[in-house]
Amino acid sequence: MDMIVPDRLKPGDTIGVFTASDPIEPPVTQWVEAGISRLKEMGFKVIEGATLTKSSYYTAGTPQERWEDFKSLITNNEVTLIMTAMGGSNAHQILELMDFELIRANPKIIMGYSNPTVLLNPIAQMSHLVTFYGFHAASFDPDWEWFDEYDLEHFEKVLQSPVTPMLI
């Protein structure tokens, strides 16, 4: 089966941000909020997932709540890009709940790194959807020390330009 390449990200498109792993607590809260503000300044709409402020002991809600949050972004026709808020250590808990046929039927750009990589690889394998090892919403915080103009330039090249360098 051929890989499915999701639609390009365009100015004005909607980015859905959800938490796949740990609860978003200070100081991470400030990073995520600043990152979301920057994404809006870049011309995107942002939908904050229900798990963004959830806390269930050491996770951002139960596995079922996190899957339902992700699923609501997958099935939302306004959403072009689904981005994790931050990393963590519990994303694997939602794998057995994932509906890969539903993801394949609703192709979106899905991006994250660190712990959420545990979701990207099975989604690519099982849904045949190209996924993107890339930024979290927190990465866009203007004070994030590991994110600069180089990263912004490549975010645009990979997700927005008419020709994605890695797919040529």
Side-chain angles (χ1 to χ4, degrees), residues 73-146:
L73 295 172
I74 282 290
T75 58
N76 184 330
N77 291 331
E78 294 179 28
V79 173
T80 304
L81 162 63
I82 299 173
M83 179 182 289
T84 53
M86 192 62 187
S89 57
N90 302 292
H92 69 282
Q93 294 173 336
I94 68 174
L95 279 174
E96 66 182 20
L97 302 171
M98 294 188 114
D99 181 341
F100 296 107
E101 291 297 322
L102 181 72
I103 295 168
R104 181 187 356 247
N106 296 278
K108 315 257 187 240
I109 300 167
I110 301 173
M111 175 178 274
Y113 73 96
S114 189
N115 181 248
T117 306
V118 76
L119 304 178
L120 299 178
N121 294 334
I123 289 170
Q125 178 70 32
M126 303 300 291
S127 298
H128 298 95
L129 174 67
V130 173
T131 58
F132 296 83
Y133 182 85
F135 309 108
H136 296 303
S139 304
F140 288 84
D141 176 349
D143 295 326
W144 190 264
E145 66 182 285
W146 303 286

Side-chain angles (χ1 to χ4, degrees), residues 41-68:
E41 290 168 10
M42 292 169 62
F44 301 108
K45 298 173 200 148
V46 177
I47 294 175
E48 297 181 17
T51 58
L52 214 53
T53 57
K54 275 276 209 195
S55 182
S56 178
Y57 187 49
Y58 59 91
T59 63
T62 66
Q64 185 68 39
E65 288 170 323
R66 286 179 280 140
W67 161 243
E68 292 296 330

Side-chain angles (χ1 to χ4, degrees), residues 135 147-155:
F135 309 108
F147 189 85
D148 58 21
E149 290 305 312
Y150 172 87
D151 299 295
L152 278 175
E153 178 184 325
H154 283 82
F155 175 80

Side-chain angles (χ1 to χ4, degrees), residues 4-48:
I4 300 166
V5 179
D7 290 340
R8 299 259 175 235
L9 184 65
K10 299 177 293 306
D13 278 353
T14 300
I15 297 172
V17 178
F18 89 110
T19 307
S21 301
D22 298 353
I24 304 299
E25 298 172 338
V28 177
T29 308
Q30 292 83 359
W31 302 336
V32 173
E33 289 171 356
I36 287 172
S37 291
R38 187 175 195 184
L39 288 165
K40 290 176 180 177
E41 290 168 10
M42 292 169 62
F44 301 108
K45 298 173 200 148
V46 177
I47 294 175
E48 297 181 17

